[in-house]
Amino acid sequence: MKNTSYKNKQFVLLGMTFLSVAGIAGCSKVELAQSTVTLELGDELSENVADYLQDPDEKILKGASLDLSAVDETKVGSYNAAIAYDGKNYPFTVEVKDTTSPQCKAKDYIYMQPGTLIVDDLVTEIKDASETSSGIVSCERKDDLAACDYDDMLQKKAVVDTTDSYDEADYQESVQLDEEGCYEVTAQVKDSEGNFTDITLNVYVDGTAPELAQNVINLEVDASGISIDDINTDDAEKIAAMLHELPDFSNAEWAAASDAFCGDNVISYEFEQKSFNLQKENPVEVLNVHCTVQDQAGNENEADYEVTVTYTGLDAEALLEKTGLILQTSDNNENEKNSSNSDSKSGTINNQKVAKTGENQDVDDFGMTDDEWVAMFEAMTPDERDAYLNSVAYGSATDNNVQVSGYYDSNMAQEVFNLTNQERANNGLPAYSWDSNMASYSDRRAKEIVTDYSHNSAGGNWSVGENIAEGETSASEVVNDWMNSAGHKANILSDVSTKISVSCYVEKFTYADGSTQYLYHWVQNFTH
């Protein structure tokens, strides 16, 4: 029994011993994957213990802890780190380095006017983990601009590389490019650790503005789609806006631009109405068009043109009747004539018709009807008109010893204004108020009819009505003549218009013998 008991105890001890040995053999050993961990500046260290150990088992992963508290990821340097497990530390080193060249955005090319080129024009959006500095390090003129091709320029790409390192002492903040031509320019961006990026691109310097030439003189627009029945307003501006929706005025090719280099000129337009003639079969609008052209370098040029727009298919007569717009009247009667003031030069003709058209087709002293005279007059050049008017009024077409001057007679204009309101009072109508905003327009018109006695230039706003006359020597005479003409009288006694402006422009002719003559030009303008 004792021996058996001893043996049994011995077995148990052996068993315990075996179990104890088995426990020691199953304990895992901590092995670092590497003694030094390299980190690129700007990156982040892993906080996962497994990333720092070589083939760790689950027990170590559960029991080990990672200490990175001494590591500054934002600065280049060497830092201590460790893994703690089962009461022991397993140290390793973290090396924070910067080996990455700066990143930046570069333009493929630059197209500019003569002037200063700065480094910020070449490179933008610089990104790097450390501080950077940049500058222009090379600038070389390669070709005359005339030798360059604009389309080729559009295909150019900037070269970005890390080939040549420059000393920061060579950095320039800017370079002056005053001569037209193509330049090859290089800029460099370098960080505090010496990593660098070079950007080389072409810079095209252009200081010549494009030229403008009129491309549209007459424009015909189909207005047949506008129904007069649908127009229910007497607001002329709204009607004008409606008509302007027909042609695409903003994109019309009013002008053509030519440029020695640039192929992408941008032309913009502003336009204002100079006149609107509703008294023809097809209404005709004359526009003053202001064109501006700019090339891609920013060089700019401007020009002004006159464009005639004819609206076909629009019933002008019905539009007048529907809207109650004021007629611009110059119908002629026997009371409209040219005449001169006192001190007339002997032997001259003082009562010839000048530019008059209308219902009464009288034959003048030259054997022409009014319409025949107008056709002849419109065919003349401005210089021919001036010479003819002088010869008709004063019999001196070939007399070069005449000095012509002109002035505005505001007293006469005021008297016409008063007499016009007197006529309205006589007919039970309210007085017109004086439109000071329209006065300068009337002054312009009074001077224009000296050489173009018509309504061709009338209507900067086409709701402006107009009476014109020439030759009458007093306010009472011209108002009396207008009141004896149906069209002019309709304007004076209009129940639509409420404001008026008047102008009297006087031409003075001084002859070699000291004698003088005067020719009066009268304009009334009416508006709402």
Side-chain angles (χ1 to χ4, degrees), residues 3-15:
N3 291 337
T4 300
S5 176
Y6 174 79
K7 290 180 179 179
N8 289 338
K9 288 182 179 179
Q10 189 179 34
F11 176 79
V12 171
L13 289 172
L14 288 172

Side-chain angles (χ1 to χ4, degrees), residues 361-429:
Q361 295 295 298
D362 298 333
V363 177
D364 63 17
D365 293 342
F366 299 101
M368 290 186 292
T369 65
D370 291 340
D371 287 347
E372 289 171 340
W373 193 97
V374 169
M376 177 198 72
F377 191 79
E378 289 181 346
M380 293 179 179
T381 66
D383 289 342
E384 290 172 339
R385 291 179 183 179
D386 287 342
Y388 182 77
L389 288 174
N390 285 339
S391 67
V392 169
Y394 309 111
S396 59
T398 59
D399 187 353
N400 294 323
N401 297 316
V402 181
Q403 292 184 349
V404 183
S405 59
Y407 60 92
Y408 291 98
D409 192 327
S410 59
N411 292 330
M412 286 282 202
Q414 183 64 45
E415 190 174 349
V416 168
F417 174 70
N418 295 336
L419 291 172
T420 298
N421 277 333
Q422 183 59 55
E423 293 291 346
R424 290 180 65 80
N426 294 342
N427 287 271
L429 294 170

